[in-house]
Structures are given as structure tokens and as C-alpha cells.
């Protein structure tokens, strides 16, 4: 008599796509060679492979890894059914400790070189930014000292916490991506009280080594706009693009100049995508400032149609709000019980209503 049929349901999700790119990067093979060996029934690289896929697809907690894995076909996670049953948070922790003990710098460099060669990444323009990652808890070992021969990151409190939680500890996460598809090619984690503007020299030096040239365009926000950072990159024959902070005198000088002069705006041509969507009017214009920065660098001012529309809407709303406030003040002044009795009091109230 034939055995009864059983229906087994297994989940695929986006794992085949993730596995395709992991294979092209040869990432798991790199982990296998870079991690210390173990006699455990489940190798470190297999556990880290599961954690990595979870991070990409779900970002679930380590203690929930076993439950997350169960619906999937085991072979999609490079596991056997027996190995699935071995997964738990203890194994996840030990695998992460093995990764901490490994030569992560060399591992990351080899993965990056593979990615550049495999996908033909364009490294002529690189974009850098940083943010803070906030933690709750004590984390006494994350003090900037050595742990098992490895330097740790110091979790610090900072008044500039970007989550607006200066009471909590944080670290500073610095990431550089390509303009070609926003592919990450370099990251660094710094102590929580690190000032963003101080990180650019080291980052640029690293990128110079990775690209093998200084002739790439380094793009970053206004934290790059310091005399030290810009001059350093220029002296190394590098190129950069940054934003001029409003606190710089050059910003006020241009605003004063434009009151009495007509800038020679140059329209930027529409992109193919903008033309395809029926755009006909220019969205961007640029003009070079009449004077360079105090360091001698060019300053280019940019006009954007979108910002102009937003500014017009903002001004219109401010006018409407002022009119409503002034009408309310007028009714208030008509009331015999109004306490505003003097001309100066009326002027002060009107100024406050105008906003």
C-alpha cells in the first residue's frame, strides 16, 4: 500500500535574489577563509550567513533567528534540515564573536575588491555621510579600550545626538557610497562623541588607497566645508563638492550682492527622465559667485524650481496667517474691554500678530 501523501509548505521570499548576489560577491567563501575554524556541528560562516540574510530581509533579533528560519526551505539558507534545528541565539553570539576576532579589515577589503571587479563599479564619484546610532544600556566593555586584542568603539553621550536623545550613548556611523547605484564601498564606526567634520581626512585617504587615485569627486554635506578638510584634499590633488553653511560670511556676502546685481544664471538641461515626464521648463540653474571662498575655492550657487515653489507656498501661508492674526487683533481692539490702550501697545501687538 503506498505511503500517504504529505503536503509541505516552504517559503522562498526574496532569498533566491539575495543568494544570487551573495554568490557573485563570493561572500560566504570569504567568511569561510577568514574566520577561525571550529569543531562545532554548525560552522561560523553558516550561522553568519543566516544572520546576514535575516539582516537584509527582516532585521529580526538574534533570539528570533530559529523561528525566522523555519518557514524557509533549508537549502536556500545553505543548511540541511538537521542544521536548522541547531540554530539558536547562543550560536549566533559565538559566530559574531568569531567575526569580531577575525581580521575584519582584510576581509572587508577583499569583499570590496570582488564587488568592484564583479559589478564594474564606477568609482569616479563617491558620496559620504555620517549619522549616529543610539543605544540603550550600559555596555561597559565598549569604552575604546582593547578587548581580546581588538580595539573597541567607545559609546559616548553627545549633545549632538541625531535622535535627540543626549541622555543615551551612541556611536558615529560613517558611510561612503558610489554615485553609480549608491553601492557602499567604505564604512567606519567612530566613538560616540566624534565630531563629523574631523572624519573627512581619514575617510578621503582611505578612498584614495581603495581607488588608486586622488582624481575622484568626493561629495559630502556642509561638515566637509572646513578650511582644514578642504585644503587637505586640494593639496593632495583631490576634488570635492560640498555645501556652504549659512554661518559662513560668503553666504551673507552673496545675498547682499544679489540685491544690487543680476546673476548670470545658466540653465541646466533636462534629464531624459524629466523630458519623458513632460517637463519643459528648467528645473535647475547655476551661477558662479563673484568672489571665491576665503580659502580660494569656487562657489557655485544653485537655483531650484522645486525650492522656489516651496518658498512661494511658505510665504503665501505666512501672509495668510498674518492676515488672520491681524483680523483677530482688529476685532480685539474694537472690544471696549480691550486692555491695549496706547499707540505703542497697538504697534507691538500688530508686530507680534504679523509674525
Amino acid at each position: 500500500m503506498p505511503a500517504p501523501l504529505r503536503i509541505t509548505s516552504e517559503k522562498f521570499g526574496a532569498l533566491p535574489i539575495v543568494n544570487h548576489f551573495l554568490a557573485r560577491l563570493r561572500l560566504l567563501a570569504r567568511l569561510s577563509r577568514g574566520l577561525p575554524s571550529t569543531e562545532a556541528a554548525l560552522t561560523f560562516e553558516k550561522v553568519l550567513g543566516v544572520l546576514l540574510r535575516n539582516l537584509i530581509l527582516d532585521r529580526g533579533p538574534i533570539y528570533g533567528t530559529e523561528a525566522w528560519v523555519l518557514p524557509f526551505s533549508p537549502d536556500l539558507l545553505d543548511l540541511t534540515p538537521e542544521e536548522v534545528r541547531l540554530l539558536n541565539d547562543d550560536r549566533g553570539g559565538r559566530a559574531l564573536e568569531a567575526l569580531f576576532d577575525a581580521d575584519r579589515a582584510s576581509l572587508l577589503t577583499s569583499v570590496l575588491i570582488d564587488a568592484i571587479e564583479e559589478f564594474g563599479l564606477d568609482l569616479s564619484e563617491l558620496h559620504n555621510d555620517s549619522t549616529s546610532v543610539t543605544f540603550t544600556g550600559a555596555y561597559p566593555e565598549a569604552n575604546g579600550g582593547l578587548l581580546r586584542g581588538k580595539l573597541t568603539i567607545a559609546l559616548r553621550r553627545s549633545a549632538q545626538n541625531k535622535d535627540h536623545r543626549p541622555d543615551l550613548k551612541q556611536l558615529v556611523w560613517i558611510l561612503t557610497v558610489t554615485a553609480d547605484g549608491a553601492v557602499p564601498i567604505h564604512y567606519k564606526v567612530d566613538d560616540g562623541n566624534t565630531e563629523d567634520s574631523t572624519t573627512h581626512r581619514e575617510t578621503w585617504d582611505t578612498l584614495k588607497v581603495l581607488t588608486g587615485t586622488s582624481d575622484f569627486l568626493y561629495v559630502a554635506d556642509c561638515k566637509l566645508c572646513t578650511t582644514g578638510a578642504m585644503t587637505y584634499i586640494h593639496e593632495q590633488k583631490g576634488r570635492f563638492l560640498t555645501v556652504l553653511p549659512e554661518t559662513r560670511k560668503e553666504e551673507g556676502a552673496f545675498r547682499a550682492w544679489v540685491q544690487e546685481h543680476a546673476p548670470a544664471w545658466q540653465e541646466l538641461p533636462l534629464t531624459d527622465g524629466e523630458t519623458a515626464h513632460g517637463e519643459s521648463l528648467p528645473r535647475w540653474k547655476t551661477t558662479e559667485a563673484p568672489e571665491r571662498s576665503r580659502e580660494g575655492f569656487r562657489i557655485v550657487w544653485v537655483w531650484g524650481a522645486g525650492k522656489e515653489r516651496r518658498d512661494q507656498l511658505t510665504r503665501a501661508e505666512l501672509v495668510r496667517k498674518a492676515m488672520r492674526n491681524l483680523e483677530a487683533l482688529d476685532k480685539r481692539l474694537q472690544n471696549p474691554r480691550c486692555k491695549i490702550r496706547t499707540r505703542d501697545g497697538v504697534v507691538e501687538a500688530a508686530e507680534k500678530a504679523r509674525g
Side-chain angles (χ1 to χ4, degrees), residues 149-271:
K150 299 284 184 177
L151 193 64
T152 64
I153 298 299
L155 293 181
R156 306 287 192 201
R157 294 182 177 88
S158 172
Q160 285 75 44
N161 183 280
K162 295 176 183 178
D163 293 317
H164 308 290
R165 291 297 305 271
D167 57 312
L168 298 179
K169 293 181 179 180
Q170 68 172 30
L171 57 77
V172 176
W173 170 270
I174 306 163
L175 182 66
T176 304
V177 302
T178 65
D180 174 23
V183 179
I185 66 160
H186 176 257
Y187 89 97
K188 189 174 187 297
V189 179
D190 266 335
D191 295 345
N193 57 354
T194 302
E195 171 57 43
D196 293 352
S197 61
T198 65
T199 65
H200 288 293
R201 287 193 188 190
E202 182 181 351
T203 298
W204 189 88
D205 283 339
T206 302
L207 296 175
K208 179 183 176 182
V209 173
L210 289 174
T211 60
T213 180
S214 62
D215 191 32
F216 58 88
L217 181 61
Y218 182 66
V219 183
D221 64 14
C222 62
K223 300 297 178 61
L224 172 61
C225 193
T226 63
T227 298
M230 293 190 297
T231 302
Y232 178 79
I233 294 174
H234 175 70
E235 290 175 346
Q236 301 297 315
K237 303 187 184 305
R239 298 181 296 128
F240 62 84
L241 178 64
T242 185
V243 180
L244 186 74
E246 293 184 0
T247 54
R248 296 267 302 208
K249 292 183 179 179
E250 296 93 330
E251 199 266 355
F254 180 77
R255 288 184 181 274
W257 180 87
V258 82
Q259 299 300 316
E260 301 178 358
H261 302 79
W265 293 107
Q266 298 291 320
E267 296 180 358
L268 297 184
L270 295 172
T271 65

Side-chain angles (χ1 to χ4, degrees), residues 300-353:
V300 177
W301 290 93
V302 181
W303 170 92
K307 186 178 188 307
E308 183 178 64
R309 287 193 293 269
R310 290 193 298 272
D311 288 347
Q312 289 172 345
L313 292 173
T314 299
R315 285 193 293 269
E317 177 57 32
L318 289 174
V319 169
R320 285 193 293 268
K321 182 179 179 181
M323 291 297 295
R324 291 194 299 267
N325 291 342
L326 289 171
E327 289 171 359
L329 176 61
D330 183 55
K331 292 180 180 178
R332 181 182 170 193
L333 294 172
Q334 301 303 321
N335 191 328
R337 301 175 65 182
C338 179
K339 296 181 179 180
I340 303 175
R341 302 291 184 181
T342 66
R343 176 184 177 84
D344 289 343
V346 173
V347 171
E348 182 181 352
E351 290 289 344
K352 185 176 180 181

Side-chain angles (χ1 to χ4, degrees), residues 29-288:
R30 293 282 186 189
L31 283 174
S32 178
R33 292 193 291 271
L35 293 172
S37 59
T38 175
E39 297 181 358
L42 196 56
T43 60
F44 292 139
E45 62 268 18
K46 285 195 172 186
V47 178
L48 290 174
V50 172
L51 295 180
L52 176 61
R53 293 176 176 96
N54 174 272
L55 181 64
I56 294 171
L57 296 175
D58 188 64
R59 292 193 293 177
I62 294 179
Y63 63 77
T65 302
E66 185 177 5
W68 178 79
V69 163
L70 289 177
F72 289 100
S73 176
D75 60 296
L76 288 175
L77 296 163
D78 197 26
L79 300 173
T80 65
E82 292 74 21
E83 288 174 328
V84 169
R85 291 191 285 271
L86 297 176
L87 279 173
N88 53 53
D89 55 348
D90 286 338
R91 289 187 186 276
R94 287 194 291 271
L96 289 173
E97 285 194 332
L99 181 60
F100 177 83
D101 291 333
D103 183 359
R104 286 168 283 126
S106 298
L107 177 62
L108 185 60
T109 300
S110 63
V111 171
L112 174 60
I113 292 172
D114 283 347
I116 293 171
E117 294 177 350
E118 177 68 21
F119 296 97
L121 298 179
D122 181 3
L123 305 181
S124 61
E125 182 178 330
L126 305 175
H127 293 237
N128 173 270
D129 200 3
S130 61
T131 190
S132 58
V133 180
T134 304
F135 293 79
T136 57
Y139 297 96
E141 294 179 331
N143 57 10
L146 291 175
L147 179 64
R148 301 203 302 275
K150 299 284 184 177
L151 193 64
T152 64
I153 298 299
L155 293 181
R156 306 287 192 201
R157 294 182 177 88
S158 172
Q160 285 75 44
N161 183 280
K162 295 176 183 178
D163 293 317
H164 308 290
R165 291 297 305 271
D167 57 312
L168 298 179
K169 293 181 179 180
Q170 68 172 30
L171 57 77
V172 176
W173 170 270
I174 306 163
L175 182 66
T176 304
V177 302
T178 65
D180 174 23
V183 179
I185 66 160
H186 176 257
Y187 89 97
K188 189 174 187 297
V189 179
D190 266 335
D191 295 345
N193 57 354
T194 302
E195 171 57 43
D196 293 352
S197 61
T198 65
T199 65
H200 288 293
R201 287 193 188 190
E202 182 181 351
T203 298
W204 189 88
D205 283 339
T206 302
L207 296 175
K208 179 183 176 182
V209 173
L210 289 174
T211 60
T213 180
S214 62
D215 191 32
F216 58 88
L217 181 61
Y218 182 66
V219 183
D221 64 14
C222 62
K223 300 297 178 61
L224 172 61
C225 193
T226 63
T227 298
M230 293 190 297
T231 302
Y232 178 79
I233 294 174
H234 175 70
E235 290 175 346
Q236 301 297 315
K237 303 187 184 305
R239 298 181 296 128
F240 62 84
L241 178 64
T242 185
V243 180
L244 186 74
E246 293 184 0
T247 54
R248 296 267 302 208
K249 292 183 179 179
E250 296 93 330
E251 199 266 355
F254 180 77
R255 288 184 181 274
W257 180 87
V258 82
Q259 299 300 316
E260 301 178 358
H261 302 79
W265 293 107
Q266 298 291 320
E267 296 180 358
L268 297 184
L270 295 172
T271 65
D272 293 339
E274 291 167 344
T275 304
H277 284 85
E279 296 278 355
S280 58
L281 298 176
R283 296 186 63 184
W284 302 98
K285 300 177 185 179
T286 63
T287 188
E288 190 153 351

